[in-house]
Amino acid sequence: MKKLAIYLLVMVLHLAAYALPEDQYVYTLDLTVVKDDQVQVILIPPKIKEPETTFYMPKIIPGTYSVADYGRFVQDFKAFDKKGRELPVEKTSLNSWKISKSNKLVKVTYWVKDSYDNDVDGEAIFEPAGTNIEEGKNFVINSAGFFGYFENMTRSPFKFNVIRDPKMYGSTGLIALSTGQSLDQGLGLEEIKPTTTDSRVDTYLTENYDHLIDNPLMYCEPDTSIIKVAGAEVLISTYSPGEVVKSEEVKGAIEQLLMAQKEYLGGKLPVDKYAFICYFTERPVTSVGALEHSYSSLYSMRNQPINTMIGMFNRFAAHEFFHIVTPLNIHSQEIHHFDFNEPKMSKHLWLYEGITEFFAGNVQAKYGIMSHEQYLGTLQNKMIAASTRFNDTLAFTDLSKYTLDKYPDQYGNVYEKGALIGVCLDLKLRSLSDGKYGVQDMMADLAAKFGKDQAFDDEDLFDIITEMTYPEIRTFFSTYVEGNTPLPYAEMLDLAGVDYKPSEKRMEISMGMPQGTFGYNPELRRLFIANAERLNDFGKAFGLKNGDVLVGINGKEIPLSGIGAFFQGIRAEMKVGEEFTYTVMRQGEDGSEVKLDLTAGIFEVEVEYLHILSLNEEPDESQLAVRNGWLTKNE
């Protein structure tokens, strides 16, 4: 507590040194008053000298790489002078409002709809970047959905008050100025008329708009746990209808992983507080996952027992937690001065997302959370995805720079080929250093060189890394990251004594549905046949059609959760010559659904396996040095 108090005092004095009260934004968000699934936002603005200004909500936020247009969720936008008279306002785009006579502006009000369950025109927002307004139960506050800024005024401090029910708790990576105060304690909120007299106020202060957007919050009745990691306080907060998932269960699932990540980062963390904010929903959703922030990560996932999703959750958690390295301490000018409405994209997604994803898998291999063979299996899956689902000859710097317009369909490759760039770079560095220097060391050196407050120029990064390491690394970047040459898996993996085969064909029993055959219907929570043309010969024997919804196998109902484990159990029981039955729901020409049992005898089919990896049992001395540096923890 003493450490937190000192940090808070320093932060307040630092802000006071360069900002008078009239130079800061003061927002109030009242969660005790919800009307038509909306909450009101009240803003006391900083002093504006110009007679005309524009107020913006973000078009896009860092980490999402897709357009959100948060302004479309704002209703009834009004601006007032000190006598309470409305000033002229013109909505100039989905995300902007022009205010005339803005030199007289003293207050702005508007109402906000949430993104989770409102029928608002436009593309659905990635759930972990969205907002939820569920009266009396849950509020997911991604700040971009509630708070905006005035043109050329994103560097001012932002203070905001959250009025809440006393039973609710605010989970966030922020350290609050105060929590649980009553409305009559001199907070300047006299005009707020809460529904109950026992409402409480939490107050927060951020250095600027970037810092505000980087810190989501979730308000609900508390279910929290704490893990101490290298002196940092890691908060785990869950909202789960029916308490299907408890924070202690999440803690148990990720504690070993966090301790391994601490060691992977040299035994210390670059933050004093971090929050895992976990929202579990029973709504039909089109996306699940997590969004990284410098001091927290927000998870939106289906409300099901933790043991049915622990593998997925750990993958998400491992990746998001490592974002405390980059972009927090290593980032380009494009991120350091992010433009929320006309963003300029960096060409280094291989660094921000690719290396982060590499770390997330490599730490588990190094610290025994997965075996080395399992790790090679994850790399194989990434190689398959990179070569079959994405354009493997697209220069990765181009994918990054133009991901919003020219290559949005290629963005997912940052988690596949991006991680594989990390693997190959690590192996190359270790081969040049007898196993002693790898990507972990490179990232630590970059963080020491730049840190939170200093950005690099996009065009200089490859040369900076080369100067820090070896001349050969510049050739690697030019050929495989800036260039259109696919990664040389065989050459790089051989450096660590890993044998590689591009493909191999085998005769074996199959369930008939190779990768890419399925789709998922979130409303039904069922799998369906999305690409019948990808069925192999056994799958085609059933007469399956696109749109068929899978509901049963061999008389057993396919569960709504734990589908992967169910399929593995069925696969283990299959024997050549025995009958096999898929039960499907198929829509007829008149729109009605018919339940069908489709049966065929089991037979072996030729299955092609891609990117086969195996550890060479007799590596030479050089290969062993690289392998140990790559897959073994430092002693």
Side-chain angles (χ1 to χ4, degrees), residues 381-423:
N381 290 335
K382 290 184 180 300
M383 291 175 185
I384 292 170
S387 60
T388 62
R389 292 170 48 202
F390 301 104
N391 179 0
D392 201 26
T393 62
L394 173 64
F396 221 78
T397 48
D398 287 345
L399 183 161
S400 302
K401 193 74 174 175
Y402 306 110
T403 191
L404 287 182
D405 41 32
K406 291 172 66 175
Y407 304 119
D409 60 328
Q410 297 296 310
Y411 172 74
N413 210 11
V414 299
Y415 305 108
E416 314 296 353
K417 187 174 181 178
L420 296 169
I421 289 172
V423 171

Side-chain angles (χ1 to χ4, degrees), residues 245-281:
V245 187
K246 299 288 290 179
S247 65
E248 279 293 323
E249 295 175 322
V250 176
K251 175 182 176 180
I254 67 173
E255 189 163 14
Q256 180 188 6
L257 176 64
L258 293 183
M259 295 307 172
Q261 290 180 288
K262 173 199 72 173
E263 296 302 324
Y264 196 87
L265 295 175
K268 58 185 178 181
L269 303 180
V271 296
D272 294 317
K273 179 184 177 182
Y274 189 90
F276 286 88
I277 305 170
C278 307
Y279 172 82
F280 298 98
T281 180

